[in-house]
Amino acid sequence: MKKITVLLLALILVTTAQARKQKSPKQTDRQYWCELAYKMAQPVLENMAKGELQKNMKTEFSPSFDNRDRSVVYMETFGRLMAGIAPWLTLPDDDTAEGKQRRQLREWALASYRNAVDPESPDYLCWGRAGQNLVDAAYIAESFLRAYDALWQPLDQQTKQRYIKEFQKLRRIDPPYTNWLLFSSIIEGFIAKATNHHGYDEYRVNSACRKVEEWYVGDGWYADGPVFAFDYYSSYVFHAMYLETLQAMVDAKVNSRLDYKKYHDRALKRAQKFSIILERFISPEGTFPVIGRSTPYRLAAMQPLALMAWYQKLPAELSNGQVRAALTKVMHRMFDQQQNFNDAGYLTIGFCGHQPETADWYTNNGSLYMTSLSFMPLGLPADHAFWTDAPQPWTQVKAWGGQPFPKDHRWGDDIQTRDKW
C-alpha cells in the first residue's frame, strides 16, 4: 500500500510539473534578445548614471595590454554599448515589461551621457588622453546618429556644447591609415548634422570616403588599409560607419564635391551583399568562423546583417524569419552556457566564454561591448515582421539538410560616381 501511495504521489508530481510547463508561455525570440541586451547594459548604465561606473566596474585587460592610460576601458564600454542599444531606445514608451526596461535604460543613458562630458563627474571620460579616444568617441557619435531624437535632442544645451567641443578637440589625433579614418569621418558627419553643417571638417569626411572607395575589393569586402586582411573589420567598422557618415552628410544637406546620396546608395548595395555572406557563415548549429583579429568582439561580426534588418533593407535573398532565426541561434550558442560575464555582471574577455588568450594588445573588457551591435533589430517594434514572421531555415540549414537553397554569385557595382565639380 505504501509503495502504491509513493507511486501515486510521484505521478501527481510529474503531472503537476508537466502542467506547469505547458501553462508557462514559451519565451519569444524578442523576449530573449531583450533579456540579453538588458543584462549587458544594466550594470554599465545604472552605475554610470550615478557617476559610479569607474568606481564599481570590474575590469579586465589583455595579458599583452600596452602602456596606454587604462581609463580608456570606461569610454570603450560606454560608447560601444550605446552604439548597439541606441536603436532599441528609440521606440516609444509602453507599459509592457520590455517597455519598462527600455524606459529605465533610456533614463540611465541620458544621465550617463551628461556625466561622460561633465568634468565634475567621477565618470567624466578620458577625453583627449590617448589616440584610442578617437575610436570610442566615434561610437558615441554613432549612437547619437542612431537615436538622434531619443538620445541627442533631449540633452541640455550645455551637455550638447560639451560634446561638440570634445569631438572637435579630437582633430589633433592623426588616425592610422586604416579603418580609423572612418572614426574621424563619422564624428565630423555627426557635427555637420548637429550644428546644421557649421563647425565640421569637410576634408576629414571626404578624404575618408575617397580612401574607403579605394579600399573596396569587391563582393562586399573592404581592405583595412592598402593591404587586404581576411577578418571582420568590414563588419566591425566599414559598412556601418561608412553608410552612417554618408547619411549624416545627406541629412545635413551638405553640398560638396562628393554626391553623398549616390555614394550612400552604392555602399548600401555592398552592405546588402556582405549581409548575404554573413548569413551564409552561420552554421546549422549557430556557429560562425572565428577568423582574424579582435575576435573577442563576438557578435559584432554580424553587425551589417543586423544593420540591414534594422534598416528594413535586407536583400531579396534573405527573409526576416531566416535572419532572426539565424541570429537567435548564434546568441543562444554563444551566451546560454558559457562564462561570458564576470561575477559583477560585466563582459569577460573571450569569444565564447572566458578566453583571455584571444585578446589582442589593445583589448580590455570594455572593448567587448561591441557585441551589442548585433542587437540593432530591437529598434524595430515588436509587431514588425522581423519579430512576427515564423522562423525559417537559414542557408546552411537548407544546404546541409538536403533542401533547395539559393546559389550565390558575385555582386558588381552598378552605381558610378564622379566629383560634382
Side-chain angles (χ1 to χ4, degrees), residues 17-198:
Q18 288 176 339
R20 284 176 182 162
K21 191 174 181 182
Q22 289 171 355
K23 286 180 181 178
S24 59
K26 183 182 177 184
Q27 188 182 45
T28 66
D29 288 347
R30 185 178 179 90
Q31 287 170 336
Y32 175 75
W33 284 47
C34 291
E35 179 183 276
L36 186 54
Y38 188 83
K39 179 180 181 179
M40 205 173 288
Q42 177 263 326
V44 176
L45 297 183
E46 183 176 13
N47 275 291
M48 193 166 176
K50 296 183 289 188
E52 295 180 354
L53 180 65
Q54 299 187 36
K55 171 187 171 185
N56 293 331
M57 182 177 175
K58 185 172 182 179
T59 60
E60 182 182 7
F61 294 85
S62 166
S64 59
F65 200 72
D66 62 10
N67 61 359
R68 76 185 70 184
D69 187 330
R70 292 197 169 204
S71 65
V72 299
V73 63
Y74 308 110
M75 193 168 189
E76 293 190 40
T77 301
F78 178 62
R80 297 173 188 217
L81 171 69
M82 290 311 305
I85 68 169
W88 187 27
L89 304 188
T90 64
L91 295 181
D93 290 335
D94 59 57
D95 290 326
T96 63
E98 176 197 333
K100 292 174 182 176
Q101 285 188 331
R102 196 171 60 237
R103 180 166 57 243
Q104 179 64 82
L105 288 177
R106 191 189 310 113
E107 290 172 0
W108 284 338
L110 290 170
S112 299
Y113 278 121
R114 289 191 289 270
N115 286 336
V117 288
D118 181 359
E120 301 301 316
S121 170
D123 276 341
Y124 176 66
L125 297 178
C126 59
W127 297 94
R129 293 188 203 169
Q132 179 66 30
N133 297 152
L134 179 65
V135 180
D136 298 296
Y139 284 103
I140 293 174
E142 185 176 47
S143 74
F144 287 142
L145 288 171
R146 289 177 175 178
Y148 193 80
D149 291 339
L151 298 179
W152 173 252
Q153 294 287 36
L155 294 175
D156 61 274
Q157 199 58 37
Q158 182 184 48
T159 299
K160 289 179 179 178
Q161 290 172 352
R162 284 172 169 169
Y163 270 105
I164 298 301
K165 183 178 179 182
E166 295 287 10
F167 286 148
Q168 290 174 331
K169 282 161 57 177
L170 293 171
R171 291 171 185 162
R172 67 178 182 78
I173 297 172
D174 180 24
Y177 204 50
T178 63
N179 65 89
W180 279 51
L181 297 181
L182 284 167
F183 299 141
S184 291
S185 74
I186 200 163
I187 289 171
E188 298 299 334
F190 169 72
I191 293 173
K193 179 171 180 173
T195 64
N196 194 25
H197 57 80
H198 295 295

Side-chain angles (χ1 to χ4, degrees), residues 74 76 93 138 225 275 279 299 324 378 381 398:
Y74 308 110
E76 293 190 40
D93 290 335
S275 69
E279 190 270 352
L299 289 174
R324 187 190 77 247
L378 284 175
K398 294 175 183 176

Side-chain angles (χ1 to χ4, degrees), residues 191-250:
I191 293 173
K193 179 171 180 173
T195 64
N196 194 25
H197 57 80
H198 295 295
Y200 80 102
D201 186 336
E202 186 174 288
Y203 179 75
R204 284 178 179 262
V205 174
N206 288 3
S207 61
C209 293
R210 295 185 194 282
K211 278 300 160 189
V212 169
E213 290 297 330
E214 288 180 19
W215 295 340
Y216 183 65
V217 295
D219 230 16
W221 291 88
Y222 289 97
D224 189 11
V227 179
F228 179 76
F230 189 52
D231 58 28
Y232 285 113
Y233 271 81
S234 288
S235 285
Y236 299 151
V237 181
F238 277 94
H239 281 292
M241 286 200 173
Y242 189 34
L243 276 169
E244 289 166 317
T245 293
L246 294 167
Q247 186 61 56
M249 301 304 282
V250 171

Side-chain angles (χ1 to χ4, degrees), residues 3-18:
K3 188 175 181 181
I4 294 172
T5 303
V6 171
L7 287 171
L8 283 171
L9 181 60
L11 181 62
I12 290 169
L13 290 173
V14 169
T15 305
T16 303
Q18 288 176 339

Side-chain angles (χ1 to χ4, degrees), residues 370-386:
M370 274 181 68
T371 194
S372 69
L373 299 174
S374 63
F375 290 102
M376 283 185 286
L378 284 175
L380 298 170
D383 60 358
H384 187 274
F386 183 83

Side-chain angles (χ1 to χ4, degrees), residues 177-390:
Y177 204 50
T178 63
N179 65 89
W180 279 51
L181 297 181
L182 284 167
F183 299 141
S184 291
S185 74
I186 200 163
I187 289 171
E188 298 299 334
F190 169 72
I191 293 173
K193 179 171 180 173
T195 64
N196 194 25
H197 57 80
H198 295 295
Y200 80 102
D201 186 336
E202 186 174 288
Y203 179 75
R204 284 178 179 262
V205 174
N206 288 3
S207 61
C209 293
R210 295 185 194 282
K211 278 300 160 189
V212 169
E213 290 297 330
E214 288 180 19
W215 295 340
Y216 183 65
V217 295
D219 230 16
W221 291 88
Y222 289 97
D224 189 11
V227 179
F228 179 76
F230 189 52
D231 58 28
Y232 285 113
Y233 271 81
S234 288
S235 285
Y236 299 151
V237 181
F238 277 94
H239 281 292
M241 286 200 173
Y242 189 34
L243 276 169
E244 289 166 317
T245 293
L246 294 167
Q247 186 61 56
M249 301 304 282
V250 171
D251 291 346
K253 297 181 173 57
V254 173
N255 183 29
S256 81
R257 289 184 184 275
L258 301 191
D259 188 332
Y260 299 117
K261 182 65 169 63
K262 277 191 175 181
Y263 275 75
H264 177 276
D265 291 348
R266 183 169 61 192
L268 178 64
K269 289 190 173 184
R270 294 171 180 172
Q272 289 174 321
K273 168 58 181 176
F274 198 67
S275 69
I276 290 173
I277 292 171
L278 292 174
E279 190 270 352
R280 285 175 177 258
F281 275 3
I282 300 173
S283 76
E285 298 76 28
T287 62
F288 60 86
V290 185
I291 55 170
R293 62 193 179 96
S294 301
T295 55
Y297 295 169
R298 293 181 171 93
L299 289 174
M302 294 291 141
Q303 179 180 203
L305 184 57
L307 186 71
M308 292 300 100
W310 177 45
Y311 280 177
Q312 303 178 69
K313 295 290 185 181
L314 285 172
E317 290 85 345
L318 302 179
S319 71
N320 282 304
Q322 78 186 86
V323 172
R324 187 190 77 247
L327 289 175
T328 304
K329 184 74 170 180
V330 175
M331 289 181 184
H332 280 295
R333 179 64 183 83
M334 181 172 281
F335 284 101
D336 284 2
Q337 297 177 345
Q338 311 300 335
Q339 188 185 351
N340 292 288
F341 297 89
N342 61 34
D343 55 11
Y346 298 94
L347 287 170
T348 57
I349 293 178
F351 176 77
C352 186
H354 187 216
Q355 301 154 305
E357 71 282 356
T358 63
D360 295 285
W361 53 267
Y362 47 80
T363 309
N364 59 67
N365 66 328
S367 316
L368 319 181
Y369 283 84
M370 274 181 68
T371 194
S372 69
L373 299 174
S374 63
F375 290 102
M376 283 185 286
L378 284 175
L380 298 170
D383 60 358
H384 187 274
F386 183 83
W387 300 109
T388 60
D389 281 2

